[in-house]
Amino acid sequence: IFLLIDADVGATASAAGCLLGPVVAGEADLVVGVMPAAAGRGGWGAVRRLAGLGIRRACGVRADAPLCGQRAVRAGYLRELDPVARFGLEVGMTIDAVRAGARLAEVAVPMEHHHTGRSLRGFAHRGRQGADIVGALWPRLTSTRVRMVGVVLAAMVVCATMVWTSGSRVPASVAASRRAERVVLVGVPHLALEDVGTGAMPALDALVQRGAAGATNVRTLSGRPSSAEAYATLGAGTRVRDGDPGLGLGSAQALPATAPYEGGTAGAVLSRRTGEAASGEIVVPATPTVVRSAGEHLSSAPGALGDALAAAGMTTAVINNADSVAEDGTPIAYRPAAMATIDSGGSVGTGTVDAADLLVADPAEPYGLRADVDAYLAATAGALERADLVVVDLGDMNRAAWQSQVASRDVAEADRSRALSRVDSYLAGLVPTLDPGTLLLVVGVRPRGSDWDLTPTVAYGAGVVPGSLHSPSTERDGLVTLTDIAPTVLAALGVDRPAGMIGSPLRYRTEPFDMASAQRLNDLAGSREAVYYPMALTFICVQVLAYVFAAVVLSQRGGRRAGETLRLLVLTFAAWPLATFVERGVPGIERVGAARQLLVWVIAGAVALAASRARRHALAPLSAIAGATALLLVVDVATGANLQMASILGYSPHTAARYEGFGNTAFAVLAACAVVFAAIHVAYAPRRREAVVTAGAVLTIVLLADVWPTLGADVGGVLTMVPVFGLLMLALSGRRLSWRQVALFALATGVVLTIVAGVDLLRPETSRGHLGRFVAGAFAGDGTFLTTIERKWATNVRLFGRTVWTWMVPLTAGFMLYVLVIARGWQRLLPPGSAQRAGVVGTIAAGLLGWLVNDSGVVVSALVFVFVGPYLTLLALSRMAGQPELLARLQPEPVTPRPPET
């Protein structure tokens, strides 16, 4: 007979003897004490009623004290108790004993225990108690089949809900209401979001009110902004780099074809370099170098916009002069806007670029030159009579920016203010002269400073629906890209877009442009870029020190305090990715600067501390962290991936190549957490068959969230998750893996990829994701199939030697080698066929495969491996706690059992 007494009954435990009487006398097999009423010192009785109702439903017995822990029970009934946790013990014991034939008796006992009352702490205690009771009742009120079917149905409902609601989160937008007869594109380098709506540029503000506006990602292929590179990117319809590093400013040296150049004319020099006759009035002699050096494995090249228009019988024009003067007084020709209008042969149909035609001397202005607004207006009017696309850049903004490097701050601001004013005066004079068939685009082609920022873009005129701009490339309200401009121009003029252009024609929303939201997004991105590298470096360095400490603790006789410290440390590392997304949701986080790094560590530490209270088994806290992380990411992507935008492990609106769904870093975290959670759940669940079904349901939900076109839209997720998740499920179900099964899941990966691609292709062309556009281009034979694969692999290889995350891989590999090989933990910590081993192997496989199939490469592996270290450390610490005399080798030895005490 076992007598169970709660620790908090104190001295009243002396009355426990009355519980034994009925059992000793053979009158009962389970005796439960009924203690005096709490008389307001307890809660409202909801948990007690829940327990009583569950007992009556499960075994037909009415219990007056279903939660009382003061009990006497025959040993057989206690030993046969099905698994039950914490506060569910009493309910589970009652049900199992009665079902096994035990006679239940309740007797009054003059005992008292500690009452938590109706305080916040008391209600929290009863909340935990209620959760445990539900956990005890669930398997006792349902059958195995019902539970398994219920899990499957619940997973299906979750998946259907995510798919059904995901389409509604994309901002509704409409295409241009009509085609344009002509397009005027006014490029304004160094234009900032804060220049709009402040009164500094009233004409531009009026265009924002009457037209449609958006914030523009102007990222090019180089690490630093450049006006020539920005215009080249605009003309290519894809990101390129400044293609003339050897000739300095030659890439922006646009000249009249008849201008003297290299002993002849500029047109003749261009013909000599290209082997073809110059076809326009304006030429860029450095075009062959520009195109050749624009970047590797590009789907498009500078001149693509001009080629498409020329093929349609249309003409381009450029009006731009940003000339300056060198220190020795030598004139410097700089006309970068031509890069947006050249064809692949380096010619622009018409235009004006001579300083004598566009500039006036003014000693008060940078380099003694300024734009003649009237001359620019006259040149524009003339170009519109001869060209279908006219690109204009007054040049003053570039001159003011260069002068700011040698001028005082006040002078530089004054120069910039006057340059903005002249741009605005030009717009004020231009707009009244435009006929209804003209589309006007005002584009901030490059950010104000040397770092990336969002810039404004405004559309006005033919086909524009007043409100805000929307880009299918970003699927973000008010956020467009520089690579969307060329497709927009072509769509406006009714010209087919070349397949290599990665952008999409801009669409329109009737809601006004939210400048405050755009500015906050810009600030968030700037803050993210400022702390990203130091935060990643700190995270890796701290782990290096921690795992050195872990090796010392695991190889020597570390004390309990050292073990607890190490446990909390590795849990903090596991919680760090979760903390980066939680931190993104903190209001005003963009204003705290470098303190973001500290805040992430504080949140991670708090999560680790809370999770460390889970002590049911060695990996319980890691399971809680992994589950919470995966849940947060799935919910986030199902609601628009707002936490990923501008978060540390998300994507940056300043530099990213994608702006919706799952980015590679978030995918890596999600994949690792899903594998870890599923393996731990199966490893320690009391009913393995049910646990395997639950793990499969979780992995299915995660897979759908990551790969579905309207959710994560992650092609690399298909290639990684399908084989890894499938083989993991086989291992967790107890089956031995074979090469045949590997081949089957490789085939399954192709099937899933085909289904996802098919779903994406069924969507409207403007709504298709990367995979849909890629497959459509491959079937159309546009030549981008191999280019895309080569570009992604080249990015993967290049990133390996350039990212700080590369150091995470040898760090994790070294620690795994120590724990699993040197300390002989492969067999002791991860027994053959165990779910624990499957979890480690599955996580490593996800990291390695993710490395190969994603262009982020080693970054994926590094973030997946973040969870391997805590996984192994917690297992090793648990084994050490059970074998304190064998800390050095982690190996158990036979222990002579003690004789039973009387």
Side-chain angles (χ1 to χ4, degrees):
I1 300 171
F2 282 92
L3 184 63
L4 288 74
I5 304 296
D6 288 343
D8 65 345
V9 298
T12 61
S14 59
C18 59
L19 296 170
L20 288 170
V23 183
V24 173
E27 299 170 357
D29 303 298
L30 171 63
V31 177
V32 178
V34 180
M35 301 174 68
R41 293 173 296 169
W44 304 107
V47 177
R48 181 176 58 81
R49 287 192 293 272
L50 170 66
L53 180 62
I55 292 172
R56 187 163 64 252
R57 177 77 175 177
C59 59
V61 171
R62 179 182 180 88
D64 294 326
L67 299 179
C68 185
Q70 327 318 318
R71 298 177 173 230
V73 59
R74 294 195 180 277
Y77 296 108
L78 190 60
R79 293 191 179 104
E80 294 175 4
L81 178 65
D82 284 343
V84 67
R86 299 189 309 181
F87 298 111
L89 172 64
E90 290 79 14
V91 172
M93 181 191 305
T94 302
I95 295 173
D96 290 354
V98 171
R99 282 179 170 177
R103 295 164 296 169
L104 172 66
E106 292 184 305
V107 299
V109 291
M111 303 173 70
E112 285 288 347
H113 69 98
H114 175 69
H115 295 280
T116 55
R118 295 171 184 174
S119 63
L120 180 61
R121 181 180 179 184
F123 286 116
H125 164 76
R126 284 183 286 277
R128 294 190 297 270
Q129 190 178 31
D132 288 338
I133 290 170
V134 170
L137 290 174
W138 171 248
R140 291 169 170 82
L141 293 176
T142 58
S143 66
T144 298
R145 177 176 297 180
V146 167
R147 292 192 293 272
M148 294 171 65
V149 171
V151 169
V152 172
L153 291 177
M156 293 174 61
V157 170
V158 171
C159 291
T161 302
M162 288 196 302
V163 172
W164 180 263
T165 60
S166 61
S168 62
R169 61 181 174 81
V170 178
S173 61
V174 297
S177 58
R178 56 164 289 186
R179 288 184 178 178
E181 299 171 9
R182 288 168 296 278
V183 177
V184 178
L185 193 157
V186 180
V188 189
H190 306 281
L191 185 65
L193 289 174
E194 55 263 29
D195 294 322
V196 180
T198 61
M201 302 182 72
L204 182 61
D205 292 343
L207 291 178
V208 172
Q209 295 299 319
R210 297 159 57 189
T216 314
N217 174 297
V218 292
R219 181 74 156 90
T220 56
L221 203 57
S222 296
R224 292 288 180 179
S226 156
S227 294
E229 189 172 86
Y231 282 114
T233 293
L234 193 156
T238 191
R239 290 175 173 179
V240 300
R241 68 169 54 93
D242 192 351
D244 187 26
L247 300 177
L249 299 177
S251 62
Q253 196 175 46
L255 302 168
T258 57
Y261 193 73
E262 291 186 3
T265 65
V269 171
L270 178 63
S271 298
R272 185 177 72 226
R273 294 178 178 180
T274 62
E276 300 178 1
S279 59
E281 299 176 6
I282 307 295
V283 296
V284 178
T287 296
T289 303
V290 170
V291 174
R292 186 171 61 250
S293 306
E296 296 180 351
H297 313 299
L298 296 177
S299 58
S300 183
L305 175 59
D307 284 345
L309 292 173
M314 297 184 177
T315 303
T316 62
V318 59
I319 303 170
N320 173 224
N321 189 291
D323 292 359
S324 61
V325 180
E327 293 182 1
D328 60 359
T330 305
I332 298 176
Y334 190 67
R335 295 92 186 248
M339 298 303 301
T341 54
I342 60 170
D343 57 24
S344 57
S347 295
V348 182
T350 186
T352 306
V353 294
D354 277 347
D357 298 326
L358 299 173
L359 305 182
V360 295
D362 189 338
E365 294 296 329
Y367 305 98
L369 301 169
R370 65 170 173 82
D372 184 336
V373 174
D374 292 336
Y376 266 92
L377 288 170
T380 304
L384 283 172
E385 295 178 356
R386 308 188 301 275
D388 303 279
L389 168 64
V390 180
V391 177
V392 183
D393 181 347
L394 270 65
D396 284 342
M397 292 297 291
N398 272 323
R399 280 187 287 269
W402 294 331
Q403 183 74 19
S404 68
Q405 299 175 15
V406 295
S408 68
R409 179 175 299 179
D410 291 342
V411 170
E413 286 295 330
D415 290 342
R416 183 176 185 276
S417 179
R418 293 194 302 273
L420 283 174
S421 179
R422 282 189 288 275
V423 172
D424 201 61
S425 297
Y426 170 80
L427 292 174
L430 174 67
V431 172
T433 67
L434 300 177
D435 60 51
T438 302
L439 170 64
L440 172 63
L441 298 173
V442 182
V443 183
V445 293
R446 62 154 293 180
R448 176 175 181 176
S450 59
D451 296 323
W452 298 107
D453 276 307
L454 299 180
T455 67
T457 288
V458 184
Y460 172 80
V464 174
V465 178
S468 58
L469 296 173
H470 172 68
S471 168
S473 302
T474 68
E475 297 291 2
R476 296 283 179 173
D477 190 11
L479 179 63
V480 303
T481 72
L482 187 63
T483 53
D484 291 325
I485 303 302
T488 301
V489 171
L490 294 174
L493 296 174
V495 178
D496 291 336
R497 175 185 58 172
M501 290 186 175
I502 64 173
S504 302
L506 294 176
R507 296 168 64 85
Y508 303 96
R509 303 193 69 220
T510 56
E511 289 80 1
F513 176 55
D514 189 345
M515 178 59 72
S517 295
Q519 188 61 61
R520 181 170 187 262
L521 182 61
N522 186 54
D523 293 342
L524 278 166
S527 174
R528 186 253 188 202
E529 296 297 329
V531 302
Y532 176 82
Y533 180 80
M535 189 174 290
L537 181 61
T538 301
F539 180 55
I540 294 170
C541 290
V542 171
Q543 287 185 90
V544 170
L545 298 176
Y547 286 120
V548 170
F549 172 63
V552 173
V553 172
L554 297 178
S555 63
Q556 300 180 9
R557 296 177 179 272
R560 178 179 178 183
R561 181 173 297 179
E564 285 298 318
T565 300
L566 179 58
R567 184 172 185 265
L568 189 60
L569 270 176
V570 296
L571 289 176
T572 302
F573 299 152
W576 194 87
L578 172 63
T580 64
F581 295 107
V582 173
E583 173 259 5
R584 166 60 178 83
V586 176
I589 191 64
E590 69 276 10
R591 295 191 294 270
V592 304
R596 288 187 70 171
Q597 182 169 180
L598 177 61
L599 181 59
V600 168
W601 281 106
V602 169
I603 295 174
V607 171
L609 191 62
S612 67
R613 297 175 63 87
R615 301 273 181 169
R616 295 188 182 185
H617 53 77
L619 297 178
L622 182 60
S623 175
I625 292 172
T629 304
L631 176 63
L632 178 70
L633 290 175
V634 169
V635 172
D636 180 52
V637 80
T639 55
N642 296 311
L643 293 181
Q644 288 194 64
M645 177 61 79
S647 66
I648 302 301
L649 295 183
Y651 27 69
S652 169
H654 284 174
T655 59
R658 69 179 296 163
Y659 312 88
E660 40 80 29
F662 271 114
N664 288 336
T665 49
F667 148 74
V669 173
L670 178 66
C673 288
V675 171
V676 167
F677 178 82
I680 295 175
H681 177 68
V682 173
Y684 296 97
R687 294 171 294 277
R688 188 177 181 113
R689 285 181 57 204
E690 296 177 33
V692 170
V693 172
T694 301
V698 170
L699 295 178
T700 301
I701 293 171
V702 168
L703 176 64
L704 181 76
D706 185 71
V707 308
W708 195 254
T710 55
L711 290 167
D714 182 19
V715 179
V718 178
L719 301 176
T720 303
M721 287 184 173
V722 173
V724 171
F725 285 6
L727 293 172
L728 175 66
M729 285 302 300
L730 287 178
L732 294 179
S733 62
R735 300 182 185 180
R736 298 190 63 179
L737 303 184
S738 65
W739 287 110
R740 179 182 178 183
Q741 292 166 336
V742 173
L744 287 175
F745 276 104
L747 178 63
T749 301
V751 172
V752 173
L753 192 63
T754 301
I755 294 173
V756 173
V759 171
D760 204 11
L761 287 171
L762 291 175
R763 303 166 68 196
E765 184 177 357
T766 56
S767 301
R768 289 175 186 167
H770 299 288
L771 180 59
R773 293 195 295 268
F774 175 75
V775 174
F779 280 121
D782 59 17
T784 61
F785 180 83
L786 291 178
T787 299
T788 302
I789 295 175
E790 290 171 351
R791 184 179 68 252
K792 289 183 174 295
W793 180 248
T795 303
N796 188 321
V797 174
R798 184 174 62 251
L799 194 64
F800 182 80
R802 296 186 179 182
T803 175
V804 67
W805 289 106
T806 301
W807 293 104
M808 189 70 200
V809 176
L811 163 66
T812 309
F815 185 70
M816 285 192 293
L817 178 67
Y818 170 75
V819 173
L820 298 179
V821 179
I822 299 176
R824 306 178 187 178
W826 180 246
Q827 296 291 334
R828 306 305 181 189
L829 302 180
L830 307 173
S834 67
Q836 290 93 332
R837 176 177 288 192
V840 170
V841 174
T843 306
I844 295 173
L848 295 178
L849 189 55
W851 183 343
L852 295 175
V853 301
N854 288 279
D855 53 6
S856 291
V858 70
V859 179
V860 173
S861 299
L863 288 168
V864 169
F865 291 168
V866 164
F867 296 88
V868 177
Y871 194 112
L872 296 176
T873 303
L874 293 176
L875 285 176
L877 288 174
S878 174
R879 191 165 189 85
M880 285 169 46
Q883 300 287 338
E885 70 283 359
L886 297 172
L887 299 177
R889 299 175 59 190
L890 303 178
Q891 278 190 267
E893 289 183 358
V895 178
T896 303
R898 286 183 173 183
E901 297 181 359
T902 303

